[in-house]
Amino acid sequence: IQLHKKFDEENGANSAPQVQTKTTMTSNENNKNNGTTASNTTQPPSLFCSIGSPETSLSNETVQQKVNEFLSALGPRRDVLILPPDFTRFHSQAGMITRFVSEYYNFTKPENPTTSTANTAAAAASSSPSPPASVPKLQIIPALGTHAPMTHSQIDLMFGKELASKTNDPDVENPFVVHNWRDDVVTIGYAPATMVSEATYGMVHEPWPAQLNKLVWERRKDNHDASSSDLPPLVLSIGQVVPHEVMGMANFNKNLFVGVGGVEAINLSHFIGAVHGMEKLMGRGQNPLRSILNYASETFLQTNLDLWYILTVMGTNDKTGEVEIKGLYIGRDEECYNLACDLSLKVNFNLLEKSPKKMVVYLNEEYHSTWLGNKSIYRTRMAIDDGGELVVLAPSVEMFGEDGHIDELIRKVGYVGTPKIMEEMGKDEDLKNNLSAVA
């Protein structure tokens, strides 16, 4: 994100110091803190892993070791559901981490035997249990939101050949499930209308629906036979914390309520973000829209799902120019997200001494729509000089909206600015019912 220093000073961007710790806690201590009864099951601390700094460069081997330690602490599972981002977050390393989870549960063979052997030796030398002998049911739902489904080649590039091979293997069930934000969801509750009204300056005064893919909600604990020896289904949300134009910071519970959310929730959340203002959101982990999602997360997700987050922070190596993992955070509540936000502010913002008169942005093959490509505007507009020129080179852009109907609406109305689009919305019921297109 390009940000002029004057904007940073005027808008009070957070510059809190990054706290880097790894929480350690016995299972009994953690059970006391969570108000649950201690059992024979090992219960990891709510913040299992917190590693990162602007100077950190985490190797793939270190990440795999931490993931293996975490999964060992959780105990064996018969049902594992993974929610990674789609190809638009290719550089998040969520694909690699998903592969590590799959390999840990013996769902796929290791793609790097040397790395696997090293981690097996490390696990054997520690007090952690060995990887499970039985293979659990494992499903992967890429958090598409409104985006187009991933192609086989994208799955291959992002998640590896072993997982990709299972998408067309007639002898096994395809582990990848395509999320349909219009048809595959259930409403699990509502955030109060007062919160929505505050976030939209009174423009919208209606409750925000918390919606999830049905397969996620089926994993709730009350659907599990508590009398059995099996642990409840495990839900892993994996992704990158990075400045985001609608949510302030991407990932955490956005991965669920937007990534595998439904039409009503996504439409209203995008509209709230647009009305509240990108300049007041970008890079701010705490904002009115995130408060709505946090309310829904604490009220519905934490009590009903055995849900854990594995979050990365990516940055550029100053010497090589390569993208690398600067931080890894594993936890089940807001703490791991807040720590990741603190680090992202340090490594994902560039403060410029002078506002450029002209900026040029190149969009690679990940950006095949203006829905995605508009990030070239979001990520430069707080730096470019008033009256300046932005040139966007977008060889792969071939559509406006990722969703077919939203594409139709954008073609129908065009990018015409806030006053005009609000006027059109007042006259067009279709626009009223598709607020994400309006946003």
Side-chain angles (χ1 to χ4, degrees), residues 227-430:
S227 64
S228 73
S229 60
D230 297 332
L231 290 170
L234 174 63
V235 181
L236 297 175
S237 177
I238 304 174
Q240 177 188 2
V241 172
V242 63
H244 190 269
E245 60 277 2
V246 174
M247 201 59 64
M249 286 286 190
N251 222 271
F252 188 47
N253 44 32
K254 173 184 180 289
N255 214 39
L256 288 103
F257 291 127
V258 176
V260 291
V263 172
E264 296 173 25
I266 294 176
N267 278 339
L268 187 51
S269 63
H270 277 73
F271 187 70
I272 291 170
V275 168
H276 191 74
M278 188 213 74
E279 287 84 357
K280 297 176 183 176
L281 290 172
M282 183 74 84
R284 289 166 175 81
Q286 303 302 323
N287 57 70
L289 180 53
R290 180 64 75 173
S291 295
I292 292 172
L293 267 64
N294 286 349
Y295 170 87
S297 186
E298 292 167 8
T299 305
F300 309 117
L301 298 187
Q302 286 181 211
T303 55
N304 286 292
L305 298 173
D306 193 7
L307 167 65
W308 292 81
Y309 299 93
I310 304 178
L311 306 175
T312 63
V313 175
M314 308 300 297
T316 303
N317 185 296
D318 292 335
K319 295 180 180 179
T320 66
E322 296 294 320
V323 177
E324 60 188 9
I325 303 176
K326 294 290 188 180
L328 177 68
Y329 304 87
I330 303 175
R332 64 176 309 154
D333 56 28
E334 195 177 347
E335 186 178 9
C336 70
Y337 164 71
N338 288 337
L339 289 168
C341 287
D342 289 341
L343 179 58
S344 178
L345 278 174
K346 289 180 170 63
V347 301
N348 298 137
F349 273 88
N350 292 327
L351 295 178
L352 307 181
E353 294 288 348
K354 184 178 179 181
S355 294
K357 289 287 186 182
K358 184 175 183 177
M359 299 185 79
V360 179
V361 177
Y362 174 77
L363 299 177
N364 64 22
E365 66 277 1
E366 294 177 41
Y367 298 92
H368 51 257
S369 67
T370 59
W371 185 268
L372 302 175
N374 284 339
K375 292 181 187 293
S376 59
I377 301 171
Y378 309 143
R379 298 184 180 187
T380 58
R381 64 186 285 183
M382 289 186 285
I384 196 167
D385 200 13
D386 291 344
E389 180 183 4
L390 174 65
V391 178
V392 182
L393 305 177
S396 297
V397 168
E398 56 187 22
M399 65 185 79
F400 291 107
E402 290 278 295
D403 174 85
H405 189 51
I406 288 178
D407 184 81
E408 292 174 8
L409 289 173
I410 296 174
R411 291 176 185 274
K412 175 182 175 183
V413 180
Y415 291 104
V416 292
T418 299
K420 179 65 175 175
I421 195 66
M422 295 299 288
E423 178 186 335
E424 291 296 321
M425 187 182 74
K427 300 183 294 185
D428 191 324
E429 285 296 320
D430 207 2

Side-chain angles (χ1 to χ4, degrees), residues 174-214:
N174 184 355
F176 286 90
V177 178
V178 177
H179 172 67
N180 185 325
W181 71 304
R182 296 191 182 275
D183 299 321
D184 293 347
V185 299
V186 59
T187 300
I188 64 173
Y190 292 86
T194 52
M195 297 183 74
V196 177
S197 179
E198 179 183 349
T200 60
Y201 305 105
M203 290 184 65
V204 179
H205 192 78
E206 61 184 66
W208 179 82
Q211 297 179 314
L212 287 177
N213 186 289
K214 296 173 184 176

Side-chain angles (χ1 to χ4, degrees), residues 114-148:
T114 303
T115 300
S116 177
T117 302
N119 278 281
T120 301
S126 72
S127 59
S128 302
S130 300
S134 61
V135 179
K137 174 184 178 182
L138 190 145
Q139 285 186 305
I140 302 168
I141 309 180
L144 297 173
T146 64
H147 297 173

